[in-house]
Amino acid sequence: MNALVLIHGFMGGGAQWEGYIDGLAGQFDLITTDLPGFGARSHLSPIDSIDGYADWVIDNLRKAGVVRYHLLGHSMGGMIAQEVALKDNDRIDRLVLYATGAIGVLPGRFETIEESKRRAQEEGSAATARRIAATWFVKREAAEGFERCATIAAQSKLPAINAGLDAMQSWSGKQNLSQIEKETLVLWGDRDRTYPWTQIQKLWTDIPNSSLAVVPDCAHAVHAEKPELFGRLIADFLAR
């Protein structure tokens, strides 16, 4: 059975996928990650660069004996996945870039990274977790998956929040998009408040062998807002 590695995003965790991608479990060996400083690894020192996170992911896949795999990255995890795709090209079959972009300063985001840093310092990590998690959903705090998402986000402490924001702010992958060789699916919810269409269009047009899936009436958490459709899109792409 082919492996599918899933990399979560900023203030996410491996638990964010549970119950939402069950349909993929019978088709792929699902491997979820918890990046240092986030989720189940919130006790570990965070990494402050996208490149550093990519090296960490590759090292852990080697230790786990994963030889070949499909790769999916969500949000900040999509930035990490772009770097992994360049560094570990020979082991990757297909790539899914989900609700992400190639410009780490996040132009068009619901607030600038500098604003997020300032507010996290002033409001604390718990309040920041709930505020950021709400932006993932069209219905914000009223969304069915909000509380679960906020609980996972709340595992991230201020050092991890700052490190993640620094990692994104200092990164750009736009100069490397033409070097991504693997067949790639760019997947996006059309009401995403973090990555506007310009970011998605850049991935779609600049990665040579890419396809685009736009899911209507979804924000940043398509997997939680429309899990069945999300699963079908992923399965169809990886089964071609």
Side-chain angles (χ1 to χ4, degrees):
M1 187 180 295
N2 290 338
L4 171 58
V5 176
L6 300 100
I7 308 176
H8 68 79
F10 178 63
M11 299 190 79
Q16 74 183 47
W17 309 106
E18 293 175 6
Y20 295 128
I21 57 172
D22 292 348
L24 295 172
Q27 304 174 62
F28 305 98
D29 179 13
L30 300 180
I31 301 172
T32 60
T33 59
D34 285 277
L35 300 170
F38 300 98
R41 288 192 172 96
S42 60
H43 60 287
L44 299 181
S45 297
I47 300 170
D48 63 0
S49 72
I50 298 298
D51 190 66
Y53 279 119
D55 288 338
W56 183 91
V57 169
I58 293 170
D59 182 58
N60 275 264
L61 291 175
R62 293 288 190 279
K63 290 177 179 176
V66 179
V67 177
R68 293 200 64 82
Y69 58 97
H70 300 300
L71 179 63
L72 182 152
H74 177 225
S75 195
M76 184 181 81
M79 300 177 186
I80 297 167
Q82 291 172 56
E83 294 296 328
V84 173
L86 296 172
K87 292 170 177 280
D88 211 24
N89 175 69
D90 291 344
R91 294 174 182 259
I92 296 172
D93 289 321
R94 296 192 178 183
L95 176 66
V96 180
L97 299 179
Y98 162 38
T100 188
I103 305 171
V105 292
L106 304 179
R109 185 174 181 252
F110 59 88
E111 66 186 23
T112 66
I113 287 183
E114 288 298 337
E115 180 72 2
S116 288
K117 289 180 183 178
R118 182 187 65 78
R119 294 190 67 178
Q121 193 66 36
E122 292 176 354
E123 300 169 4
S125 58
T128 298
R130 295 188 69 81
R131 183 172 60 80
I132 297 294
T135 70
W136 281 30
F137 299 89
V138 171
K139 295 181 179 180
R140 294 183 178 267
E141 291 90 345
E144 183 178 343
F146 165 73
E147 287 295 341
R148 178 176 169 186
C149 175
T151 298
I152 295 169
Q155 295 177 283
S156 310
K157 307 308 180 193
L158 277 175
I161 292 172
N162 288 326
L165 291 170
D166 286 342
M168 289 187 284
Q169 189 173 38
S170 63
W171 178 83
S172 174
K174 62 181 181 179
Q175 70 281 357
N176 296 324
L177 296 178
S178 64
Q179 300 175 42
I180 295 177
E181 299 177 356
K182 299 303 178 181
E183 187 172 354
T184 302
L185 174 66
V186 180
L187 194 155
W188 180 65
D190 68 351
R191 297 179 65 181
D192 195 324
R193 300 180 180 92
T194 304
Y195 295 87
W197 167 245
T198 52
Q199 284 262 50
I200 306 308
Q201 184 180 37
K202 182 72 174 173
L203 296 174
W204 179 41
T205 57
D206 286 20
I207 295 175
N209 195 13
S210 64
S211 303
L212 174 68
V214 176
V215 182
D217 201 33
C218 282
H220 196 51
V222 178
H223 68 280
E225 292 184 297
K226 295 188 178 180
E228 292 184 5
L229 178 55
F230 179 84
R232 288 200 303 272
L233 288 169
I234 300 300
D236 176 73
F237 170 69
L238 296 182
R240 290 181 197 170

